[in-house]
Amino acid sequence: MSKIFAITSSGKTEKSFLDLRFGKCEYIVLFDVDKNQYSIEENKFIEESHSGIKLVDFLKEQGVTTIVTGEVGPMVSERLEKEKLQLVLLHEERIRVDEIMDRIGN
């Protein structure tokens, strides 16, 4: 089974910075470690209520196994636990998505 990471991003390129907000992030980078491929999706739930929960459900459908972001709320934390998705919290505001992918890939 592939390890697919979801990384919250403030922009639509791999040179964008990590978005510390999970549910309200601008973009999500889906990174398949085994294939060393990624795609960048716009967060279509950003304006909705319970955006974080909806985003978790969407990522689960995409086969994501691990989420990398800055922070999540208690409802999202519970949902991640229920869905058995791993959470990695980074508090580095100025880290780029490609740097995170390099760390994951090594």
Side-chain angles (χ1 to χ4, degrees):
M1 188 167 131
S2 271
K3 264 196 98 60
I4 300 174
F5 285 74
I7 306 165
T8 55
S9 175
S10 60
K12 51 185 163 188
T13 75
E14 73 281 357
K15 299 288 185 195
S16 300
F17 291 107
L18 174 73
D19 193 329
L20 296 179
R21 306 160 302 166
F22 178 68
K24 299 296 182 190
C25 67
E26 297 284 330
Y27 296 90
I28 292 280
V29 177
L30 299 175
F31 176 49
D32 186 321
V33 178
D34 299 335
K35 295 178 182 170
N36 196 29
Q37 294 177 328
Y38 68 91
S39 63
I40 301 172
E41 311 268 330
E42 198 169 338
N43 179 2
K44 58 188 172 197
F45 308 106
I46 195 168
E47 299 295 330
E48 297 185 27
S49 60
H50 302 293
S51 56
I53 298 291
K54 292 175 181 169
L55 189 53
V56 169
D57 293 343
F58 169 76
L59 295 174
K60 177 78 175 175
E61 288 171 16
Q62 302 304 306
V64 167
T65 55
T66 306
I67 293 170
V68 181
T69 190
E71 61 183 49
V72 297
M75 287 173 55
V76 168
S77 188
E78 282 179 30
R79 180 62 63 100
L80 291 172
E81 209 169 293
K82 178 180 170 231
E83 297 294 345
K84 302 203 180 341
L85 294 175
Q86 186 177 11
L87 175 64
V88 176
L89 295 177
L90 293 179
H91 301 289
E92 301 173 57
E93 273 184 66
R94 306 304 290 173
I95 188 167
R96 293 191 329 253
V97 170
D98 62 343
E99 294 172 317
I100 296 169
M101 290 191 293
D102 284 348
R103 287 184 189 179
I104 292 167
N106 291 327

